[in-house]
Amino acid sequence: MSMTILSTKILTSSQKSILTKANIKVEDYDAIKIDYLTTQIDQNFQNIIFTSQNAVKAFLQTVGTQNLANNKYTAFCVGEKTKSLLEENAINVMEMTHYGAELAKILVNKYLTESFLFLCGDKRRNEIPSFLTKNKVTFKEQIVYQNSPNPITFTSDFDGVLFFSPSGIASFTARNTLRNSVAFCIGTTTASEAQKHTKRIIIAEKPTVESVLEKVVEYRNTLMN
């Protein structure tokens, strides 16, 4: 039995191979368009909060890899891929969590007297800034990228659709319905948005693309049994 899924994020060849090895056909596109802003990074801060790879990419574009040679930046980030990208560019990562709310608690509990620069997108979630404000932690927020919907109409049905953010769901459902598709979600926040459109939801064990793909393979295996 073959299975066809749609990913609302372009997958790497190694990610696609996880699916093709399990006889799962995949179409992919970017439901969200990212535009990096050319803005100066405030040099008064050494501690920087990154909640996505996009924030890191925007930072690297602005600061330039040349200027990182003698950098004194310290990073606090959300996500394993975000951490990897920072470390690839020789930026020291002090703390990494899977969710923003977890990171905010660590910052308050361990770094209350520090000040932070929070680099984010224009659609950022509120957990970190609201928690830091509530606990009187000094921080400055700076928007370094914008994300906008990239709505595309699909005429074929899919057994499953992979979602990686609430905004990705909003973009997809602007022109499509999930019908009988299973919504495979990267985390609980994305799943909450999916609940507005379907009851058929499967959430990844960890908020990573690979974990979402593992759930798809797992789901197919249950159908085969």
Side-chain angles (χ1 to χ4, degrees), residues 160-198:
V161 183
L162 315 187
F163 293 113
F164 305 95
S165 67
S167 53
I169 294 176
S171 174
F172 173 80
T173 56
R175 292 194 182 173
N176 308 277
T177 59
L178 281 163
R179 298 189 188 92
N180 295 317
S181 303
V182 176
F184 293 91
C185 298
I186 197 166
T188 53
T189 306
T190 302
S192 295
E193 182 67 24
Q195 284 174 349
K196 298 174 184 176
H197 306 279
T198 182

Side-chain angles (χ1 to χ4, degrees), residues 48-57 59 75-83 86 95-104 107 117-129 132 141-142 144-145 147 164 207:
I48 305 184
I49 301 168
F50 298 93
T51 55
S52 69
Q53 292 179 77
N54 287 323
V56 179
K57 290 172 185 174
F59 171 76
F76 300 79
C77 73
V78 175
E80 294 171 6
K81 295 286 179 70
T82 308
K83 182 183 185 213
L86 287 161
E95 303 285 353
M96 187 281 291
T97 64
H98 288 302
Y99 289 99
E102 297 171 349
L103 183 61
L107 297 179
L117 181 62
F118 176 31
L119 300 184
C120 58
D122 62 329
K123 304 287 195 305
R124 65 111 176 99
R125 292 184 54 76
N126 204 36
E127 289 95 343
I128 291 176
L132 296 186
E141 181 179 321
Q142 187 171 353
V144 290
Y145 69 93
N147 57 18
F164 305 95

